[in-house]
Amino acid sequence: MNTTNKRLLTGLQPSGDLHIGNYFGALKPYVDTYEQYESFIMVADYHALTSVQNPEILRSNIHNVVRDYLAAGVDPAKCVIFRQSDNQDHTELGWILNCMVTVPFLMQAHAYKDKVANGIEPSAGLFAYPMLQAADIVLYETDFVPAGEDQRQHIEYTREAAGKFNRAYGEVLKEPKEMILDGVGVVPGTDGRKMSKSYKNTIPLFGTPEEVEKAVKSIVTDSASDKPEHVYAIHSLLKSSSELDSLYEENKGHYGDLKKLLVEDLNTFLQPMRERRQQITDEDVRQVLKDGAKRAKEVSNKTLANVRLAIGID
Ligand code: AMP
């Protein structure tokens, strides 16, 4: 398939340190494929406002996420790296799409329901989040969105909102498809639930070797079973099942040794990215975002102009 004229977009929230679930679920699928497309990667800082309401922390998280993208291998010469809040087209189209969908429809969103069930304040922003995300995606006429399984419904919501807009006003918005890879759609955390900042069960992507070791040591194991399933599940992100099966057979019942092997493999895998990250300066980050904002707007302005014309506010 010739994909050079297809668009790819993903985004991560600057809501704290990235973990290996973010990396294997969204960032790595992006890094592995983005050169084949016309690609965009966003720092979703308006989304992060639903959980981070401290200006110093948000500012520093934004900076850190850009460094993380660069360290993970995203080359700004080959794609557009930009910050959502640098481009007001997102909030404008987000509002317009909010007017396309109903409250009962948004109330079905699993991510919203899970967050509220976990004690997160149900702000109006959290509730409307899927329509801001829909705007993020359709503004760039995105074809594919690499993401974890938790985003499947949000991407369906994007298609739903774009479809409703198109039925009302004519074919203006492109309906995207999710790119969710087998085996990494839900990376488990140290307690076996989905790895998530809000569950405090993460293995940091850019932690020190000691932090990685501490997190791995805390992986919950079931003493009644021969194979520590959560250790194995995380290990399978790094090694094939044939390599792992013999390793886990040789070390049957020795959970401590298996965790040590996982720590070694994780640190070997993460070390080159950690080293790359140290080379990235604040000035590099500023330059990338400045350039990215300009390039993002060149594309999104066109979509928004078509939307405005279609709805009668041109
Ligand atoms: P967030 O910034 O929390 O919205 O997540 C950014 C990206 O990471 C999204 O595409 C998520 O689907 C993905 N992601 C987050 N946690 C996991 C996980 N445990 N397993 C797989 N993907 C994940």
Side-chain angles (χ1 to χ4, degrees), residues 189-191 201-204 209-222 228 230-231 234 255-264 266-267:
T190 54
D191 58 1
N201 63 356
T202 59
I203 297 177
E210 294 71 31
E211 284 164 341
V212 169
E213 184 177 0
K214 188 167 170 233
V216 169
K217 278 193 174 154
S218 75
I219 298 176
V220 175
T221 48
D222 172 2
H230 306 324
V231 180
I234 296 171
Y255 293 172
D257 291 340
L258 288 167
K259 284 184 174 178
K260 255 190 218 151
L261 291 168
L262 174 57
V263 170
E264 278 171 25
L266 274 170
N267 280 326

PDB file of all heavy atoms in Angstrom, residues 189-191 201-204 209-222 228 230-231 234 255-264 266-267:
ATOM      1  N   GLY A 189      -0.039  -3.265  34.375  1.00  0.00           N
ATOM      2  CA  GLY A 189       0.804  -2.607  35.371  1.00  0.00           C
ATOM      3  C   GLY A 189       1.304  -3.600  36.408  1.00  0.00           C
ATOM      4  O   GLY A 189       1.068  -4.811  36.290  1.00  0.00           O
ATOM      5  N   THR A 190       1.978  -3.103  37.428  1.00  0.00           N
ATOM      6  CA  THR A 190       2.604  -3.982  38.423  1.00  0.00           C
ATOM      7  C   THR A 190       1.570  -4.758  39.242  1.00  0.00           C
ATOM      8  O   THR A 190       1.917  -5.737  39.887  1.00  0.00           O
ATOM      9  CB  THR A 190       3.492  -3.154  39.368  1.00  0.00           C
ATOM     10  OG1 THR A 190       2.681  -2.100  39.912  1.00  0.00           O
ATOM     11  CG2 THR A 190       4.676  -2.548  38.655  1.00  0.00           C
ATOM     12  N   ASP A 191       0.310  -4.317  39.215  1.00  0.00           N
ATOM     13  CA  ASP A 191      -0.734  -5.050  39.948  1.00  0.00           C
ATOM     14  C   ASP A 191      -1.624  -5.858  39.010  1.00  0.00           C
ATOM     15  O   ASP A 191      -2.649  -6.400  39.432  1.00  0.00           O
ATOM     16  CB  ASP A 191      -1.589  -4.071  40.759  1.00  0.00           C
ATOM     17  CG  ASP A 191      -2.229  -3.005  39.880  1.00  0.00           C
ATOM     18  OD1 ASP A 191      -2.019  -3.032  38.636  1.00  0.00           O
ATOM     19  OD2 ASP A 191      -2.944  -2.139  40.418  1.00  0.00           O
ATOM     20  N   ASN A 201       0.624   2.111  39.231  1.00  0.00           N
ATOM     21  CA  ASN A 201       1.145   0.746  39.012  1.00  0.00           C
ATOM     22  C   ASN A 201       2.080   0.735  37.806  1.00  0.00           C
ATOM     23  O   ASN A 201       2.119  -0.221  37.039  1.00  0.00           O
ATOM     24  CB  ASN A 201      -0.030  -0.216  38.795  1.00  0.00           C
ATOM     25  CG  ASN A 201      -0.826   0.140  37.541  1.00  0.00           C
ATOM     26  OD1 ASN A 201      -0.549   1.136  36.879  1.00  0.00           O
ATOM     27  ND2 ASN A 201      -1.795  -0.688  37.189  1.00  0.00           N
ATOM     28  N   THR A 202       2.828   1.840  37.635  1.00  0.00           N
ATOM     29  CA  THR A 202       3.587   2.019  36.390  1.00  0.00           C
ATOM     30  C   THR A 202       5.057   1.618  36.510  1.00  0.00           C
ATOM     31  O   THR A 202       5.631   1.624  37.603  1.00  0.00           O
ATOM     32  CB  THR A 202       3.551   3.500  35.950  1.00  0.00           C
ATOM     33  OG1 THR A 202       4.123   4.288  36.999  1.00  0.00           O
ATOM     34  CG2 THR A 202       2.134   3.983  35.697  1.00  0.00           C
ATOM     35  N   ILE A 203       5.635   1.317  35.361  1.00  0.00           N
ATOM     36  CA  ILE A 203       7.096   1.197  35.243  1.00  0.00           C
ATOM     37  C   ILE A 203       7.505   2.389  34.381  1.00  0.00           C
ATOM     38  O   ILE A 203       7.043   2.520  33.238  1.00  0.00           O
ATOM     39  CB  ILE A 203       7.502  -0.133  34.574  1.00  0.00           C
ATOM     40  CG1 ILE A 203       7.053  -1.299  35.458  1.00  0.00           C
ATOM     41  CG2 ILE A 203       9.014  -0.166  34.331  1.00  0.00           C
ATOM     42  CD1 ILE A 203       7.325  -2.679  34.867  1.00  0.00           C
ATOM     43  N   PRO A 204       8.340   3.296  34.949  1.00  0.00           N
ATOM     44  CA  PRO A 204       8.626   4.530  34.203  1.00  0.00           C
ATOM     45  C   PRO A 204       9.456   4.274  32.959  1.00  0.00           C
ATOM     46  O   PRO A 204      10.338   3.417  32.964  1.00  0.00           O
ATOM     47  CB  PRO A 204       9.422   5.371  35.214  1.00  0.00           C
ATOM     48  CG  PRO A 204       9.987   4.392  36.186  1.00  0.00           C
ATOM     49  CD  PRO A 204       9.040   3.224  36.237  1.00  0.00           C
ATOM     50  N   PRO A 209      17.758   3.204  36.457  1.00  0.00           N
ATOM     51  CA  PRO A 209      17.750   1.736  36.587  1.00  0.00           C
ATOM     52  C   PRO A 209      17.184   1.313  37.954  1.00  0.00           C
ATOM     53  O   PRO A 209      16.474   0.322  38.053  1.00  0.00           O
ATOM     54  CB  PRO A 209      19.228   1.370  36.454  1.00  0.00           C
ATOM     55  CG  PRO A 209      19.808   2.468  35.613  1.00  0.00           C
ATOM     56  CD  PRO A 209      19.054   3.714  35.979  1.00  0.00           C
ATOM     57  N   GLU A 210      17.478   2.104  38.988  1.00  0.00           N
ATOM     58  CA  GLU A 210      16.990   1.757  40.335  1.00  0.00           C
ATOM     59  C   GLU A 210      15.462   1.881  40.403  1.00  0.00           C
ATOM     60  O   GLU A 210      14.794   1.068  41.035  1.00  0.00           O
ATOM     61  CB  GLU A 210      17.613   2.682  41.395  1.00  0.00           C
ATOM     62  CG  GLU A 210      19.125   2.535  41.578  1.00  0.00           C
ATOM     63  CD  GLU A 210      19.949   3.080  40.395  1.00  0.00           C
ATOM     64  OE1 GLU A 210      19.505   4.055  39.734  1.00  0.00           O
ATOM     65  OE2 GLU A 210      21.019   2.500  40.098  1.00  0.00           O
ATOM     66  N   GLU A 211      14.924   2.914  39.749  1.00  0.00           N
ATOM     67  CA  GLU A 211      13.460   3.086  39.764  1.00  0.00           C
ATOM     68  C   GLU A 211      12.764   1.937  39.021  1.00  0.00           C
ATOM     69  O   GLU A 211      11.708   1.456  39.435  1.00  0.00           O
ATOM     70  CB  GLU A 211      13.069   4.443  39.152  1.00  0.00           C
ATOM     71  CG  GLU A 211      13.341   5.592  40.105  1.00  0.00           C
ATOM     72  CD  GLU A 211      13.353   6.974  39.436  1.00  0.00           C
ATOM     73  OE1 GLU A 211      13.497   7.065  38.196  1.00  0.00           O
ATOM     74  OE2 GLU A 211      13.238   7.960  40.167  1.00  0.00           O
ATOM     75  N   VAL A 212      13.395   1.518  37.918  1.00  0.00           N
ATOM     76  CA  VAL A 212      12.828   0.396  37.154  1.00  0.00           C
ATOM     77  C   VAL A 212      12.855  -0.864  38.032  1.00  0.00           C
ATOM     78  O   VAL A 212      11.877  -1.611  38.125  1.00  0.00           O
ATOM     79  CB  VAL A 212      13.616   0.188  35.834  1.00  0.00           C
ATOM     80  CG1 VAL A 212      13.228  -1.115  35.156  1.00  0.00           C
ATOM     81  CG2 VAL A 212      13.379   1.373  34.900  1.00  0.00           C
ATOM     82  N   GLU A 213      13.984  -1.047  38.728  1.00  0.00           N
ATOM     83  CA  GLU A 213      14.112  -2.236  39.583  1.00  0.00           C
ATOM     84  C   GLU A 213      13.052  -2.225  40.694  1.00  0.00           C
ATOM     85  O   GLU A 213      12.389  -3.236  40.954  1.00  0.00           O
ATOM     86  CB  GLU A 213      15.515  -2.268  40.195  1.00  0.00           C
ATOM     87  CG  GLU A 213      15.740  -3.514  41.006  1.00  0.00           C
ATOM     88  CD  GLU A 213      17.160  -3.610  41.567  1.00  0.00           C
ATOM     89  OE1 GLU A 213      17.985  -2.696  41.314  1.00  0.00           O
ATOM     90  OE2 GLU A 213      17.411  -4.590  42.277  1.00  0.00           O
ATOM     91  N   LYS A 214      12.870  -1.056  41.296  1.00  0.00           N
ATOM     92  CA  LYS A 214      11.890  -0.949  42.385  1.00  0.00           C
ATOM     93  C   LYS A 214      10.484  -1.294  41.874  1.00  0.00           C
ATOM     94  O   LYS A 214       9.731  -2.024  42.522  1.00  0.00           O
ATOM     95  CB  LYS A 214      11.935   0.496  42.930  1.00  0.00           C
ATOM     96  CG  LYS A 214      11.121   0.693  44.163  1.00  0.00           C
ATOM     97  CD  LYS A 214      11.455   2.017  44.832  1.00  0.00           C
ATOM     98  CE  LYS A 214      10.428   2.281  45.925  1.00  0.00           C
ATOM     99  NZ  LYS A 214       9.788   3.571  45.824  1.00  0.00           N
ATOM    100  N   ALA A 215      10.155  -0.768  40.685  1.00  0.00           N
ATOM    101  CA  ALA A 215       8.823  -1.021  40.128  1.00  0.00           C
ATOM    102  C   ALA A 215       8.645  -2.511  39.815  1.00  0.00           C
ATOM    103  O   ALA A 215       7.611  -3.102  40.133  1.00  0.00           O
ATOM    104  CB  ALA A 215       8.609  -0.176  38.872  1.00  0.00           C
ATOM    105  N   VAL A 216       9.697  -3.119  39.231  1.00  0.00           N
ATOM    106  CA  VAL A 216       9.578  -4.548  38.868  1.00  0.00           C
ATOM    107  C   VAL A 216       9.435  -5.401  40.135  1.00  0.00           C
ATOM    108  O   VAL A 216       8.647  -6.344  40.188  1.00  0.00           O
ATOM    109  CB  VAL A 216      10.782  -5.000  38.010  1.00  0.00           C
ATOM    110  CG1 VAL A 216      10.804  -6.516  37.854  1.00  0.00           C
ATOM    111  CG2 VAL A 216      10.721  -4.331  36.638  1.00  0.00           C
ATOM    112  N   LYS A 217      10.198  -5.027  41.169  1.00  0.00           N
ATOM    113  CA  LYS A 217      10.100  -5.804  42.421  1.00  0.00           C
ATOM    114  C   LYS A 217       8.683  -5.774  42.989  1.00  0.00           C
ATOM    115  O   LYS A 217       8.273  -6.687  43.689  1.00  0.00           O
ATOM    116  CB  LYS A 217      11.081  -5.248  43.456  1.00  0.00           C
ATOM    117  CG  LYS A 217      12.490  -5.777  43.257  1.00  0.00           C
ATOM    118  CD  LYS A 217      13.350  -5.470  44.460  1.00  0.00           C
ATOM    119  CE  LYS A 217      14.711  -6.123  44.337  1.00  0.00           C
ATOM    120  NZ  LYS A 217      15.729  -5.409  45.105  1.00  0.00           N
ATOM    121  N   SER A 218       7.965  -4.691  42.682  1.00  0.00           N
ATOM    122  CA  SER A 218       6.621  -4.568  43.267  1.00  0.00           C
ATOM    123  C   SER A 218       5.549  -5.312  42.436  1.00  0.00           C
ATOM    124  O   SER A 218       4.377  -5.289  42.790  1.00  0.00           O
ATOM    125  CB  SER A 218       6.247  -3.084  43.404  1.00  0.00           C
ATOM    126  OG  SER A 218       5.929  -2.555  42.125  1.00  0.00           O
ATOM    127  N   ILE A 219       5.961  -5.969  41.333  1.00  0.00           N
ATOM    128  CA  ILE A 219       4.952  -6.684  40.524  1.00  0.00           C
ATOM    129  C   ILE A 219       4.329  -7.800  41.371  1.00  0.00           C
ATOM    130  O   ILE A 219       5.049  -8.593  42.003  1.00  0.00           O
ATOM    131  CB  ILE A 219       5.571  -7.277  39.231  1.00  0.00           C
ATOM    132  CG1 ILE A 219       6.124  -6.160  38.342  1.00  0.00           C
ATOM    133  CG2 ILE A 219       4.536  -8.097  38.464  1.00  0.00           C
ATOM    134  CD1 ILE A 219       6.839  -6.642  37.085  1.00  0.00           C
ATOM    135  N   VAL A 220       3.029  -7.812  41.370  1.00  0.00           N
ATOM    136  CA  VAL A 220       2.300  -8.773  42.206  1.00  0.00           C
ATOM    137  C   VAL A 220       2.409 -10.165  41.585  1.00  0.00           C
ATOM    138  O   VAL A 220       2.217 -10.341  40.381  1.00  0.00           O
ATOM    139  CB  VAL A 220       0.811  -8.353  42.285  1.00  0.00           C
ATOM    140  CG1 VAL A 220      -0.001  -9.385  43.031  1.00  0.00           C
ATOM    141  CG2 VAL A 220       0.687  -6.979  42.929  1.00  0.00           C
ATOM    142  N   THR A 221       2.771 -11.163  42.404  1.00  0.00           N
ATOM    143  CA  THR A 221       2.858 -12.538  41.900  1.00  0.00           C
ATOM    144  C   THR A 221       1.918 -13.420  42.723  1.00  0.00           C
ATOM    145  O   THR A 221       1.636 -13.122  43.879  1.00  0.00           O
ATOM    146  CB  THR A 221       4.304 -13.080  42.018  1.00  0.00           C
ATOM    147  OG1 THR A 221       4.770 -12.801  43.336  1.00  0.00           O
ATOM    148  CG2 THR A 221       5.225 -12.441  41.015  1.00  0.00           C
ATOM    149  N   ASP A 222       1.474 -14.479  42.068  1.00  0.00           N
ATOM    150  CA  ASP A 222       0.531 -15.383  42.726  1.00  0.00           C
ATOM    151  C   ASP A 222       1.322 -16.619  43.176  1.00  0.00           C
ATOM    152  O   ASP A 222       1.828 -17.375  42.343  1.00  0.00           O
ATOM    153  CB  ASP A 222      -0.550 -15.750  41.688  1.00  0.00           C
ATOM    154  CG  ASP A 222      -1.482 -16.819  42.187  1.00  0.00           C
ATOM    155  OD1 ASP A 222      -1.313 -17.248  43.341  1.00  0.00           O
ATOM    156  OD2 ASP A 222      -2.376 -17.227  41.415  1.00  0.00           O
ATOM    157  N   PRO A 228       4.926 -16.480  37.083  1.00  0.00           N
ATOM    158  CA  PRO A 228       4.401 -15.176  37.520  1.00  0.00           C
ATOM    159  C   PRO A 228       3.819 -14.433  36.315  1.00  0.00           C
ATOM    160  O   PRO A 228       4.558 -13.845  35.523  1.00  0.00           O
ATOM    161  CB  PRO A 228       5.635 -14.475  38.075  1.00  0.00           C
ATOM    162  CG  PRO A 228       6.786 -15.129  37.406  1.00  0.00           C
ATOM    163  CD  PRO A 228       6.386 -16.491  36.957  1.00  0.00           C
ATOM    164  N   HIS A 230       2.102 -11.700  35.565  1.00  0.00           N
ATOM    165  CA  HIS A 230       2.275 -10.277  35.237  1.00  0.00           C
ATOM    166  C   HIS A 230       3.732  -9.987  34.841  1.00  0.00           C
ATOM    167  O   HIS A 230       3.993  -9.146  33.985  1.00  0.00           O
ATOM    168  CB  HIS A 230       1.873  -9.379  36.412  1.00  0.00           C
ATOM    169  CG  HIS A 230       0.489  -9.657  36.923  1.00  0.00           C
ATOM    170  ND1 HIS A 230      -0.546 -10.001  36.091  1.00  0.00           N
ATOM    171  CD2 HIS A 230      -0.017  -9.655  38.191  1.00  0.00           C
ATOM    172  CE1 HIS A 230      -1.636 -10.206  36.817  1.00  0.00           C
ATOM    173  NE2 HIS A 230      -1.336 -10.002  38.096  1.00  0.00           N
ATOM    174  N   VAL A 231       4.678 -10.694  35.492  1.00  0.00           N
ATOM    175  CA  VAL A 231       6.100 -10.529  35.121  1.00  0.00           C
ATOM    176  C   VAL A 231       6.261 -10.993  33.669  1.00  0.00           C
ATOM    177  O   VAL A 231       6.866 -10.314  32.832  1.00  0.00           O
ATOM    178  CB  VAL A 231       7.022 -11.357  36.061  1.00  0.00           C
ATOM    179  CG1 VAL A 231       8.485 -11.184  35.671  1.00  0.00           C
ATOM    180  CG2 VAL A 231       6.804 -10.978  37.520  1.00  0.00           C
ATOM    181  N   ILE A 234       4.765  -8.543  31.041  1.00  0.00           N
ATOM    182  CA  ILE A 234       5.612  -7.360  30.768  1.00  0.00           C
ATOM    183  C   ILE A 234       6.868  -7.787  30.005  1.00  0.00           C
ATOM    184  O   ILE A 234       7.298  -7.130  29.057  1.00  0.00           O
ATOM    185  CB  ILE A 234       5.930  -6.609  32.083  1.00  0.00           C
ATOM    186  CG1 ILE A 234       4.620  -6.065  32.673  1.00  0.00           C
ATOM    187  CG2 ILE A 234       6.943  -5.481  31.856  1.00  0.00           C
ATOM    188  CD1 ILE A 234       4.729  -5.490  34.060  1.00  0.00           C
ATOM    189  N   TYR A 255      10.668 -16.664  41.392  1.00  0.00           N
ATOM    190  CA  TYR A 255      10.124 -15.356  40.983  1.00  0.00           C
ATOM    191  C   TYR A 255      11.173 -14.248  41.052  1.00  0.00           C
ATOM    192  O   TYR A 255      11.242 -13.378  40.198  1.00  0.00           O
ATOM    193  CB  TYR A 255       8.943 -14.958  41.874  1.00  0.00           C
ATOM    194  CG  TYR A 255       7.730 -15.834  41.732  1.00  0.00           C
ATOM    195  CD1 TYR A 255       6.662 -15.670  42.598  1.00  0.00           C
ATOM    196  CD2 TYR A 255       7.646 -16.804  40.745  1.00  0.00           C
ATOM    197  CE1 TYR A 255       5.530 -16.456  42.492  1.00  0.00           C
ATOM    198  CE2 TYR A 255       6.528 -17.600  40.635  1.00  0.00           C
ATOM    199  CZ  TYR A 255       5.471 -17.424  41.497  1.00  0.00           C
ATOM    200  OH  TYR A 255       4.369 -18.189  41.391  1.00  0.00           O
ATOM    201  N   GLY A 256      11.978 -14.275  42.114  1.00  0.00           N
ATOM    202  CA  GLY A 256      12.995 -13.221  42.306  1.00  0.00           C
ATOM    203  C   GLY A 256      13.958 -13.200  41.125  1.00  0.00           C
ATOM    204  O   GLY A 256      14.312 -12.128  40.618  1.00  0.00           O
ATOM    205  N   ASP A 257      14.396 -14.382  40.689  1.00  0.00           N
ATOM    206  CA  ASP A 257      15.357 -14.452  39.577  1.00  0.00           C
ATOM    207  C   ASP A 257      14.707 -13.959  38.277  1.00  0.00           C
ATOM    208  O   ASP A 257      15.329 -13.266  37.473  1.00  0.00           O
ATOM    209  CB  ASP A 257      15.832 -15.898  39.372  1.00  0.00           C
ATOM    210  CG  ASP A 257      16.693 -16.356  40.544  1.00  0.00           C
ATOM    211  OD1 ASP A 257      17.208 -15.481  41.270  1.00  0.00           O
ATOM    212  OD2 ASP A 257      16.813 -17.580  40.749  1.00  0.00           O
ATOM    213  N   LEU A 258      13.440 -14.344  38.091  1.00  0.00           N
ATOM    214  CA  LEU A 258      12.758 -13.909  36.867  1.00  0.00           C
ATOM    215  C   LEU A 258      12.583 -12.388  36.851  1.00  0.00           C
ATOM    216  O   LEU A 258      12.750 -11.736  35.819  1.00  0.00           O
ATOM    217  CB  LEU A 258      11.403 -14.615  36.740  1.00  0.00           C
ATOM    218  CG  LEU A 258      11.530 -16.098  36.375  1.00  0.00           C
ATOM    219  CD1 LEU A 258      10.213 -16.834  36.575  1.00  0.00           C
ATOM    220  CD2 LEU A 258      11.996 -16.260  34.927  1.00  0.00           C
ATOM    221  N   LYS A 259      12.307 -11.829  38.013  1.00  0.00           N
ATOM    222  CA  LYS A 259      12.180 -10.361  38.088  1.00  0.00           C
ATOM    223  C   LYS A 259      13.530  -9.701  37.783  1.00  0.00           C
ATOM    224  O   LYS A 259      13.589  -8.686  37.083  1.00  0.00           O
ATOM    225  CB  LYS A 259      11.682  -9.929  39.464  1.00  0.00           C
ATOM    226  CG  LYS A 259      10.185 -10.167  39.668  1.00  0.00           C
ATOM    227  CD  LYS A 259       9.732  -9.636  41.004  1.00  0.00           C
ATOM    228  CE  LYS A 259       8.224  -9.744  41.163  1.00  0.00           C
ATOM    229  NZ  LYS A 259       7.756  -9.284  42.467  1.00  0.00           N
ATOM    230  N   LYS A 260      14.622 -10.319  38.290  1.00  0.00           N
ATOM    231  CA  LYS A 260      15.958  -9.755  38.002  1.00  0.00           C
ATOM    232  C   LYS A 260      16.229  -9.766  36.502  1.00  0.00           C
ATOM    233  O   LYS A 260      16.769  -8.807  35.942  1.00  0.00           O
ATOM    234  CB  LYS A 260      17.019 -10.625  38.700  1.00  0.00           C
ATOM    235  CG  LYS A 260      17.578  -9.968  39.934  1.00  0.00           C
ATOM    236  CD  LYS A 260      18.773 -10.736  40.454  1.00  0.00           C
ATOM    237  CE  LYS A 260      18.706 -10.705  41.977  1.00  0.00           C
ATOM    238  NZ  LYS A 260      19.292 -11.847  42.622  1.00  0.00           N
ATOM    239  N   LEU A 261      15.849 -10.868  35.838  1.00  0.00           N
ATOM    240  CA  LEU A 261      16.063 -10.950  34.387  1.00  0.00           C
ATOM    241  C   LEU A 261      15.234  -9.888  33.661  1.00  0.00           C
ATOM    242  O   LEU A 261      15.693  -9.271  32.702  1.00  0.00           O
ATOM    243  CB  LEU A 261      15.681 -12.344  33.875  1.00  0.00           C
ATOM    244  CG  LEU A 261      16.621 -13.462  34.325  1.00  0.00           C
ATOM    245  CD1 LEU A 261      16.021 -14.839  34.021  1.00  0.00           C
ATOM    246  CD2 LEU A 261      17.959 -13.318  33.590  1.00  0.00           C
ATOM    247  N   LEU A 262      14.014  -9.665  34.159  1.00  0.00           N
ATOM    248  CA  LEU A 262      13.164  -8.637  33.535  1.00  0.00           C
ATOM    249  C   LEU A 262      13.794  -7.248  33.724  1.00  0.00           C
ATOM    250  O   LEU A 262      13.828  -6.446  32.779  1.00  0.00           O
ATOM    251  CB  LEU A 262      11.747  -8.684  34.131  1.00  0.00           C
ATOM    252  CG  LEU A 262      10.802  -7.560  33.677  1.00  0.00           C
ATOM    253  CD1 LEU A 262      10.644  -7.518  32.155  1.00  0.00           C
ATOM    254  CD2 LEU A 262       9.410  -7.715  34.327  1.00  0.00           C
ATOM    255  N   VAL A 263      14.320  -6.976  34.935  1.00  0.00           N
ATOM    256  CA  VAL A 263      14.971  -5.677  35.179  1.00  0.00           C
ATOM    257  C   VAL A 263      16.133  -5.489  34.199  1.00  0.00           C
ATOM    258  O   VAL A 263      16.265  -4.433  33.563  1.00  0.00           O
ATOM    259  CB  VAL A 263      15.492  -5.579  36.641  1.00  0.00           C
ATOM    260  CG1 VAL A 263      16.364  -4.348  36.833  1.00  0.00           C
ATOM    261  CG2 VAL A 263      14.329  -5.552  37.625  1.00  0.00           C
ATOM    262  N   GLU A 264      16.949  -6.534  34.040  1.00  0.00           N
ATOM    263  CA  GLU A 264      18.105  -6.428  33.123  1.00  0.00           C
ATOM    264  C   GLU A 264      17.634  -6.133  31.696  1.00  0.00           C
ATOM    265  O   GLU A 264      18.168  -5.254  31.025  1.00  0.00           O
ATOM    266  CB  GLU A 264      18.878  -7.753  33.095  1.00  0.00           C
ATOM    267  CG  GLU A 264      19.839  -7.914  34.241  1.00  0.00           C
ATOM    268  CD  GLU A 264      20.420  -9.321  34.285  1.00  0.00           C
ATOM    269  OE1 GLU A 264      20.481  -9.999  33.232  1.00  0.00           O
ATOM    270  OE2 GLU A 264      20.799  -9.737  35.396  1.00  0.00           O
ATOM    271  N   LEU A 266      14.782  -4.869  30.691  1.00  0.00           N
ATOM    272  CA  LEU A 266      14.180  -3.523  30.567  1.00  0.00           C
ATOM    273  C   LEU A 266      15.272  -2.462  30.508  1.00  0.00           C
ATOM    274  O   LEU A 266      15.244  -1.571  29.654  1.00  0.00           O
ATOM    275  CB  LEU A 266      13.273  -3.241  31.772  1.00  0.00           C
ATOM    276  CG  LEU A 266      11.831  -3.732  31.675  1.00  0.00           C
ATOM    277  CD1 LEU A 266      11.137  -3.608  33.027  1.00  0.00           C
ATOM    278  CD2 LEU A 266      11.035  -2.938  30.626  1.00  0.00           C
ATOM    279  N   ASN A 267      16.254  -2.573  31.404  1.00  0.00           N
ATOM    280  CA  ASN A 267      17.301  -1.541  31.432  1.00  0.00           C
ATOM    281  C   ASN A 267      18.134  -1.549  30.153  1.00  0.00           C
ATOM    282  O   ASN A 267      18.510  -0.488  29.654  1.00  0.00           O
ATOM    283  CB  ASN A 267      18.158  -1.681  32.685  1.00  0.00           C
ATOM    284  CG  ASN A 267      17.450  -1.060  33.890  1.00  0.00           C
ATOM    285  OD1 ASN A 267      16.731  -0.060  33.756  1.00  0.00           O
ATOM    286  ND2 ASN A 267      17.615  -1.651  35.055  1.00  0.00           N
TER     287      ASN A 267
END
